[in-house]
């Protein structure tokens, strides 16, 4: 069997009745990216199959961990889990919400949230007078925070788990950006 990999994918589509392209992140496990096409279509049924990828990443390294996929129940005991964080905020005179996404390995949600609030984006994209999503008054906040294993498809949650193996000096994952049609993957 081919080695399983964790993929982080930025999906884009313009569902019926919308005026601008919508986006969402999808995480999936497969030997290769093209093996996820049916799962991607099932993930966003309102797109009516008209989804494309605006970016993707094979997740191999996060901080000082090698990221591997193992059969459910086969991961070694580990204290850290893999988290996806979506920060959102506003800049003066920009009529849109800015976003900054993070993958981090932390023991719990509180530690992942602390990591998010320590980022340059969170610390430096502030200005008075904007509303935020919780009680911070600076125009930037954590829109979403998820443990990756919790947002996999139900089938993948039953079959796999993510193992974080400590390893120093790993190369950064390559990020592929552009317009990628599903039928050409």
């Amino acid at each position: 069997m081919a080695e399983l990999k964790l993929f982080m994918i930025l999906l884009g589509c313009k569902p019926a009745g919308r005026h601008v392209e919508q986006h969402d992140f999808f995480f999936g496990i497969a030997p290769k990216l093209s093996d996820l096409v049916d799962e991607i279509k099932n993930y966003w049924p309102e797109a009516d199959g008209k989804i494309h990828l605006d970016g993707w990443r094979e997740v191999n390294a996060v901080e000082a961990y090698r990221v591997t996929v193992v059969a459910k129940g086969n991961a070694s005991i580990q204290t850290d889990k893999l988290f996806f964080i979506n920060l959102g905020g506003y800049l003066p005179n920009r009529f849109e919400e800015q976003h900054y996404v993070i993958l981090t390995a932390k023991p719990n949600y509180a530690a992942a949230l602390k990591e998010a609030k320590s980022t340059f984006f969170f610390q430096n994209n502030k200005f008075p007078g904007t509303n935020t999503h919780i009680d911070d008054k600076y125009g930037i906040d954590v829109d979403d925070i998820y443990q990756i294993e919790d947002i996999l498809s139900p089938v993948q949650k039953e079959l796999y788990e993510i193992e974080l193996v400590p390893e120093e000096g790993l190369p950064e994952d390559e990020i592929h950006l552009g317009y990628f049609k599903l039928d050409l993957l």
Side-chain angles (χ1 to χ4, degrees):
M1 181 176 176
E3 178 186 5
L4 294 170
K5 302 169 186 177
L6 175 65
F7 291 93
M8 176 182 182
I9 303 168
L10 176 59
L11 300 176
C13 79
K14 190 169 136 186
R18 300 289 180 218
H19 300 291
V20 296
E21 184 175 307
Q22 312 288 291
H23 294 94
D24 200 358
F25 281 91
F26 172 85
F27 289 86
I29 294 171
K32 57 187 190 294
L33 184 63
S34 59
D35 293 336
L36 291 170
V37 170
D38 288 338
E39 282 197 55
I40 290 169
K41 289 178 181 177
N42 291 334
Y43 173 74
W44 203 343
E46 301 85 3
D48 196 27
K50 297 176 183 138
I51 303 173
H52 63 272
L53 279 59
D54 283 311
W56 63 274
R57 169 184 176 183
E58 184 180 305
V59 182
N60 295 302
V62 173
E63 297 162 356
Y65 289 103
R66 177 172 300 284
V67 178
T68 62
V69 176
V70 296
K72 189 79 169 188
N74 288 339
S76 60
I77 295 174
Q78 51 195 11
T79 57
D80 286 344
K81 299 288 184 187
L82 191 58
F83 288 90
F84 166 70
I85 303 167
N86 177 30
L87 295 174
Y90 306 94
L91 296 174
N93 301 314
R94 296 286 308 261
F95 195 45
E96 60 189 330
E97 184 178 9
Q98 308 298 303
H99 288 274
Y100 181 72
V101 297
I102 303 165
L103 288 182
T104 188
K106 297 292 179 258
N108 54 47
Y109 284 93
L113 180 60
K114 184 177 178 184
E115 172 72 15
K117 289 186 174 186
S118 74
T119 64
F120 182 87
F121 183 89
F122 193 91
Q123 295 294 319
N124 293 283
N125 287 285
K126 301 177 180 182
F127 71 99
T130 57
N131 295 325
T132 61
H133 307 290
I134 56 174
D135 60 355
D136 192 340
K137 302 294 183 208
Y138 293 107
I140 183 148
D141 208 353
V142 178
D143 278 354
D144 308 291
I145 183 167
Y146 301 100
Q147 186 176 325
I148 299 294
E149 288 179 341
D150 292 342
I151 58 174
L152 293 172
S153 73
V155 170
Q156 290 191 350
K157 280 192 240 184
E158 286 181 28
L159 295 174
Y160 311 117
E161 56 190 327
I162 297 167
E163 184 172 50
L164 301 175
V165 180
E167 188 173 333
E168 295 292 330
L170 293 167
E172 286 189 30
D173 293 340
E174 184 177 356
I175 296 174
H176 306 267
L177 298 173
Y179 184 93
F180 305 95
K181 292 184 175 185
L182 281 183
D183 59 346
L184 298 179
L185 292 179

